[in-house]
């Protein structure tokens, strides 16, 4: 390892002044995110794992650069590689790493208030609910593992009122399938993540996320989560749900140009296009790999890109595995699926980098289209370069936004 590389790593650990915003962004905690952006050591670790070549050389030469906020870097649930997702602390970390866009996945409570959760039914893995007095309210209360069957539970935001939801303590998303007690069920965190920052983490409503992200100078990409309850729910229709999410940005005085609302349901996207056209212009249709999908075979594609454009859809967000394939020289390459979507005039957003854990141990679900050639953590930057330069994505979600911020700053994105 070179002396220059070690120096770059050391410098990365210092709070570096950033010129990402002309104004100073400070939230109620007093943390100033325009003047204290930092990459931390992870980008340099990943670069050190890359194979020698022009990309590694270019990224290495950027080690002395000053971090700047960029909308190319999107905080996926904040920075959940190390922080409990959708918490104030997770988003503090993401903003401090230069993420220019932050995400609140939007679910609703029993009293139809909007909160930040990745799914309506994930409270049993993302909070301590199974060891609280609210456990009995879960749709499926905790059942211990026995006779070869895994432990089970299902706790929904719609099982609780907002006041009840706010009493829960968030944790890293995990559960222990072998648990025989509720306390044991709270475990199961992957060994490449950490529980170091679970302590006193803070849950957020959607409205609170808007205020926080705005104070930190970041833009917004809320995702309307597909309900697991039948809709309408207690008179609350899917259209009411989609409208309420947008109304909370309007109530906060947020310019629609700063908001990229997302949904896996095309009807939600079309609702925004028709009823809230300023917000609908940047509405994002999310799609993901399904069984039988082949990123190189158009017969397996379920999306008609031209039809989406005709309906007013401008943004498509496929999972990473849909946009990558194995190239002629056994390198990561852009898929035919991604290029066809781009050729149709759709803006593409990629999700989610650094969700698969160490690539040295295999790429996992997010890299399944290139698993045969992924064997190093340095491949995160190889994949990112293909997405940015060959596919031409507008932004990349990551569980640790500093990785994408570093690349975007180095490339001038």
């Amino acid at each position: 390892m070179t002396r220059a590389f070690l120096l770059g790593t050391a410098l990365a650990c210092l709070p570096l002044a950033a010129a990402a915003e002309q104004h100073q962004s400070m939230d109620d905690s007093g943390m100033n995110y325009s003047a204290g952006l930092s990459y931390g050591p992870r980008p340099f670790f990943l670069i050190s794992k890359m194979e020698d070549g022009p990309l590694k050389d270019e990224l290495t030469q950027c080690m002395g650069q000053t971090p700047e906020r960029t909308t190319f870097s999107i905080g996926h649930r904040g920075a959940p590689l190390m922080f409990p997702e959708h918490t104030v602390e997770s988003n503090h970390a993401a903003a401090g790493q230069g993420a220019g866009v932050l995400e609140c996945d939007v679910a609703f409570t029993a009293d139809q208030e909007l909160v930040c959760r990745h799914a309506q039914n994930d409270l049993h893995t993302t909070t301590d609910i199974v060891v609280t007095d609210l456990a009995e309210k879960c749709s499926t209360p905790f059942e211990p593992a026995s006779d070869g069957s895994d432990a089970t539970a299902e706790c929904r935001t719609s099982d609780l009122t907002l006041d009840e939801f706010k009493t829960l303590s968030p944790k890293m998303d995990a559960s222990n399938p072998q648990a025989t007690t509720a306390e044991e069920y709270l475990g199961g965190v992957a060994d490449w993540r950490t529980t170091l920052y679970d302590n006193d983490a803070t849950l957020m409503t959607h409205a609170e996320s808007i205020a926080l992200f705005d104070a930190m100078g970041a833009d917004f990409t809320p995702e309307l989560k597909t309900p697991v309850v039948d809709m309408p729910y207690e008179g609350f229709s899917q259209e009411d749900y989609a409208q309420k999410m947008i109304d909370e940005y309007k109530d906060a005085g947020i310019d629609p140009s700063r908001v990229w609302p997302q949904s896996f349901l095309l009807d939600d996207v079309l609702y925004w296009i028709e009823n809230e056209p300023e917000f609908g212009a940047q509405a994002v249709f999310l799609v993901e790999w399904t069984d039988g999908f082949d990123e190189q075979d158009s017969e397996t594609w379920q999306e008609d890109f031209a039809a989406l454009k005709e309906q007013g859809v401008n943004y498509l967000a496929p999972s990473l595995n849909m946009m990558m394939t194995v190239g002629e020289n056994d390198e990561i390459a852009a898929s035919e699926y991604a290029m066809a979507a781009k050729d149709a005039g759709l803006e593409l957003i990629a999700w989610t980098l650094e969700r698969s854990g160490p690539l040295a141990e295999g790429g996992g679900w997010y890299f399944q289209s290139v698993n045969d050639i992924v064997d190093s953590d340095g491949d995160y930057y190889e994949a990112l370069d293909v997405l940015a330069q060959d596919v031409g994505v507008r932004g990349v979600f990551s569980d640790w936004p500093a990785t994408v911020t570093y690349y975007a700053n180095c490339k001038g994105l």
Side-chain angles (χ1 to χ4, degrees), residues 30 33 139 198 203-204 234 244 247 249 253 307 341 345 381 402 408:
Y33 291 92
S139 293
D198 277 11
L203 294 172
M204 294 187 298
E234 302 292 333
K244 184 166 185 172
D247 285 345
Y249 289 94
Y381 272 127

Side-chain angles (χ1 to χ4, degrees), residues 123-334:
L123 294 182
H124 51 289
T125 64
T126 63
T127 76
D128 66 343
I129 188 171
V130 296
V131 296
T132 72
D133 292 340
L134 295 171
E136 62 186 21
K137 289 199 166 190
C138 290
S139 293
T140 304
F142 170 75
E143 289 289 341
S146 64
D147 299 327
S149 298
D150 289 345
T152 59
E154 185 189 8
C155 306
R156 303 172 177 176
T157 57
S158 54
D159 292 334
L160 308 178
T161 66
L162 177 59
D163 287 345
E164 289 169 335
F165 170 82
K166 292 299 288 282
T167 67
L168 301 175
S169 295
K171 69 179 191 68
M172 294 297 283
D173 185 10
S175 62
N176 177 4
Q178 305 306 312
T180 58
T181 66
E183 288 74 15
E184 290 178 349
Y185 189 74
L186 298 179
V189 177
D191 59 9
W192 44 271
R193 293 185 183 273
T194 181
T195 60
L196 185 63
Y197 303 110
D198 277 11
N199 187 33
D200 293 330
T202 312
L203 294 172
M204 294 187 298
T205 66
H206 176 237
E208 288 169 344
S209 79
I210 295 172
L212 177 66
F213 300 173
D214 190 39
M216 296 191 298
D219 291 341
F220 316 85
T221 186
E223 181 189 335
L224 196 73
K225 300 306 299 187
T226 302
V228 297
V229 296
D230 292 336
M231 300 293 280
Y233 175 78
E234 302 292 333
F236 190 53
S237 69
Q238 186 70 24
E239 292 78 12
D240 294 335
Y241 181 29
Q243 185 63 52
K244 184 166 185 172
M245 189 181 85
I246 298 301
D247 285 345
E248 293 197 343
Y249 289 94
K250 295 166 70 175
D251 292 345
I254 301 298
D255 192 298
S257 67
R258 297 178 59 197
V259 184
W260 284 264
Q262 313 169 72
S263 179
F264 278 99
L265 300 180
L266 180 58
D267 284 348
D268 291 339
V269 175
L270 297 180
Y271 174 85
W272 293 322
I273 290 170
E274 180 177 354
N275 295 281
E276 293 288 351
E278 289 187 292
F279 289 91
Q282 293 189 161
V284 182
F285 180 35
L286 295 157
V287 291
E288 64 182 334
W289 182 292
T290 57
D291 290 343
F293 176 85
D294 182 345
E295 80 287 346
Q296 299 296 84
D297 182 359
S298 60
E299 292 185 0
T300 71
W301 302 347
Q302 297 178 358
E303 287 73 41
D304 183 335
F305 302 132
L308 289 176
K309 284 294 295 181
E310 289 174 2
Q311 294 176 90
V313 178
N314 294 317
Y315 287 83
L316 183 71
S319 51
L320 288 181
N321 39 32
M322 300 175 76
M323 292 197 279
M324 301 185 296
T325 193
V326 178
E328 293 180 359
N329 299 315
D330 285 342
E331 81 286 2
I332 298 174

